[in-house]
Amino acid sequence: MSKRIGICSTTFARFDMASAAIKQIKKQVTGVKYIERYVPGVKDLPVAAKKLIEEENCDIVMAFGMPGGEKIDKLCAHEASTGLIQAQLMTNTHILEVFVHEDEGKDEKDLKELAYNRATQHADNLVKMLFKPEAMKKEAGTGVREGRENKGPL
Ligand SMILES: Cc1nc2c(=O)[nH]c(=O)nc-2n(C[C@H](O)[C@H](O)[C@H](O)CO)c1C
């Protein structure tokens, strides 16, 4: 049966990471079903992801979000992250959390590039996890980073 990939993303984010990721996956695999859900902000992602798994039978989910730079935003991001982990444990299914903090970008151009790179590189991770686990194994311990330069192995 063809794999089902869940995608959930927010309107709070300032870049459409979901579309970038779907395009990236489509370059590599065909015959996959995408089920997309959009919510206001990161704290709405855990239930959206859990529903994608339980009600839409997704094999894996990507959850995209952009926490803002304020202290309250960081708190929200941590709460969302905890929720996403809980949803994974409740469903025994991976939810790749793809968050780009707004203050990670040096300026708007850099933030956009970072968001694109992180979204597409995590999309590559998803393809490996679902279809090429051996490729993932090859990269174990190699200091891979999503969005910025890889650190490399020690
Ligand atoms: C303070 C705050 N900060 C963020 C943020 O940095 N990034 C984000 O995606 N969403 C934020 N939200 C919205 C919440 O995640 C959520 O959408 C609302 O509380 C409604 O459930 C809130 C309320």
Side-chain angles (χ1 to χ4, degrees):
M1 217 172 74
S2 67
K3 295 288 186 191
R4 297 170 68 81
I5 297 175
I7 299 284
C8 48
S9 189
T10 71
T11 54
F12 193 104
R14 300 179 61 202
F15 181 75
D16 182 7
M17 290 182 273
S19 295
I22 292 171
K23 258 192 206 158
Q24 183 72 7
I25 299 169
K26 282 184 174 169
K27 284 181 198 166
Q28 301 171 68
V29 288
T30 54
V32 168
K33 175 107 177 111
Y34 300 89
I35 300 103
E36 300 171 49
R37 295 290 181 266
Y38 295 91
V39 294
V42 287
K43 286 202 287 185
D44 310 310
L45 290 171
V47 71
K50 185 167 173 281
K51 283 164 73 73
L52 281 167
I53 295 162
E54 291 183 342
E55 297 175 9
E56 301 294 338
N57 298 315
C58 287
D59 297 288
I60 192 163
V61 172
M62 298 186 87
F64 299 95
M66 186 174 283
E70 305 294 324
K71 211 170 160 191
I72 184 72
D73 300 324
K74 302 276 178 203
L75 183 63
C76 278
H78 181 258
E79 289 165 345
S81 196
T82 307
L84 287 170
I85 292 167
Q86 203 180 339
Q88 293 183 76
L89 294 173
M90 289 172 85
T91 58
N92 255 354
T93 303
H94 285 291
I95 300 167
L96 292 183
E97 178 193 300
V98 187
F99 282 5
V100 176
H101 289 252
E102 207 174 345
D103 56 11
E104 280 186 85
K106 294 184 202 90
D107 51 37
E108 292 200 341
K109 182 174 172 280
D110 183 61
L111 182 63
K112 189 175 171 181
E113 272 172 28
L114 175 63
Y116 175 80
N117 290 338
R118 187 161 295 157
T120 52
Q121 288 165 17
H122 271 304
D124 293 341
N125 283 338
L126 177 142
V127 170
K128 288 176 209 153
M129 287 168 76
L130 260 191
F131 301 102
K132 308 170 188 171
E134 282 308 310
M136 203 73 188
K137 185 179 170 185
K138 252 191 190 166
E139 290 178 19
T142 60
V144 172
R145 297 291 183 271
E146 288 77 17
R148 298 279 191 213
E149 286 267 294
N150 288 339
K151 283 274 182 178
L154 297 176

